[in-house]
Amino acid sequence: MLPCFLLFWIVLRCADSFSVRVPPGPVVVARGATASFSCEFEPDLNLSNLVINWQRVEDDRVVHSFYYEKDQLDRQSSDYVNRTQLNHDELAKGNASLSIANFGLKDAGKYLCTVSNGKGTGKGELQLVYAAFFSEPRLSIHLKSSDVTVQYEMESYPRPEILWQGSGGQNLTNHQEVSSASDGGLYYLKSSYVSQKSAFNVTFTLINPAAHQELQRHVILSYDENMNSGTSVVALSILCTLLLCSTGLLLWLYCRAKQR
């Protein structure tokens, strides 16, 4: 018969060996996507002893609970109602993976996975990071007598990195406006490049490190130096005259046909 102190030591060792494993680094989830993340533990074939509880670290809100061999959602935070799901097929394999549908900015933060079964109890903490892929930048060009402004507008999260470069790679970034993130979890950004020249070649680069997204757009503005304003006016006058003459001829032919 084992001495009491030895039996107690064995029990402590078994308890220490029970661990809960979650992703070690931050998990990036795109806006509107379904977040799915694992929580692994040493399985026990007797699921009647299994208790799983997911909750937010910041304020202890209950995200999802499982015990008595079924989901227990009476204490679930209203923020997660009808949005969470455990993969019940994986529970017997030691995986309490959780899914959160329609992930948004308010869902970002730290989550605690607590698991208890016949083999022990353990906890694991992980962090979810929210990111939104930026929309296709909308281009507009504003012409003035003194300068030309090229402007891009877009939405994303977090605040992206912006770079304007000349044809030689020189940094031309000189103006941008950013509004704070809205309830929808997006930054609205407006960035522009102003040139005193009527012809230029620039590259617009947009980087979203959190979403591992990068986009480049090239803007080339040129004009025909051989065409002066006088030539343009003469050409326009000739074109208008030809259009008027052709229109008058068509009307005259139409009236002649009606008379017949």
Side-chain angles (χ1 to χ4, degrees), residues 1 21 31 35 83 118 136 142 178 204 215 243:
M1 188 172 187
R21 300 173 300 280
R31 176 176 184 260
R83 296 178 56 212
E136 174 62 30
H142 307 275
V178 181
F204 170 78
L215 180 146
L243 287 174

Side-chain angles (χ1 to χ4, degrees), residues 126-183:
L126 76 156
Q127 184 172 7
L128 299 185
V129 178
Y130 169 85
F133 295 109
F134 41 68
S135 59
E136 174 62 30
R138 299 176 294 278
L139 172 66
S140 60
I141 299 177
H142 307 275
L143 302 175
K144 296 181 181 179
S145 59
S146 57
D147 56 51
V148 180
T149 300
V150 180
Q151 179 177 281
Y152 275 111
E153 298 175 67
M154 70 229 69
E155 296 84 25
S156 74
Y157 191 95
R159 177 172 175 164
E161 299 174 11
I162 300 293
L163 179 64
W164 289 90
Q165 291 176 294
S167 56
Q170 64 273 33
N171 190 346
L172 302 175
T173 307
N174 58 5
H175 183 71
Q176 63 183 36
E177 298 175 10
V178 181
S179 65
S180 59
S182 63
D183 292 337

Side-chain angles (χ1 to χ4, degrees), residues 71-202:
D71 294 321
Q72 304 287 345
L73 305 178
D74 292 342
R75 296 175 55 241
Q76 184 183 39
S77 168
S78 59
D79 294 333
Y80 295 96
V81 173
N82 297 324
R83 296 178 56 212
T84 61
Q85 183 177 356
L86 280 176
N87 189 343
H88 291 180
D89 294 336
E90 293 291 317
L91 297 181
K93 302 176 184 178
N95 189 0
S97 60
L98 181 71
S99 298
I100 301 177
N102 194 24
F103 195 83
L105 179 59
K106 294 181 179 179
D107 299 319
K110 295 181 178 180
Y111 288 72
L112 183 67
C113 175
T114 305
V115 180
S116 177
N117 63 15
K119 295 187 177 182
T121 300
K123 299 179 180 181
E125 183 179 304
L126 76 156
Q127 184 172 7
L128 299 185
V129 178
Y130 169 85
F133 295 109
F134 41 68
S135 59
E136 174 62 30
R138 299 176 294 278
L139 172 66
S140 60
I141 299 177
H142 307 275
L143 302 175
K144 296 181 181 179
S145 59
S146 57
D147 56 51
V148 180
T149 300
V150 180
Q151 179 177 281
Y152 275 111
E153 298 175 67
M154 70 229 69
E155 296 84 25
S156 74
Y157 191 95
R159 177 172 175 164
E161 299 174 11
I162 300 293
L163 179 64
W164 289 90
Q165 291 176 294
S167 56
Q170 64 273 33
N171 190 346
L172 302 175
T173 307
N174 58 5
H175 183 71
Q176 63 183 36
E177 298 175 10
V178 181
S179 65
S180 59
S182 63
D183 292 337
L186 290 174
Y187 278 107
Y188 172 76
L189 185 141
K190 183 188 297 183
S191 181
S192 59
Y193 164 69
V194 180
S195 175
Q196 307 298 326
K197 300 179 181 179
S198 54
F200 53 82
N201 182 347
V202 295

Side-chain angles (χ1 to χ4, degrees), residues 11 13-19 41-46 49 115-122:
V11 171
R13 291 288 295 174
C14 292
D16 289 340
S17 65
F18 187 89
S19 63
F41 58 94
E42 186 177 353
D44 183 0
L45 295 180
N46 184 6
N49 296 324
V115 180
S116 177
N117 63 15
K119 295 187 177 182
T121 300

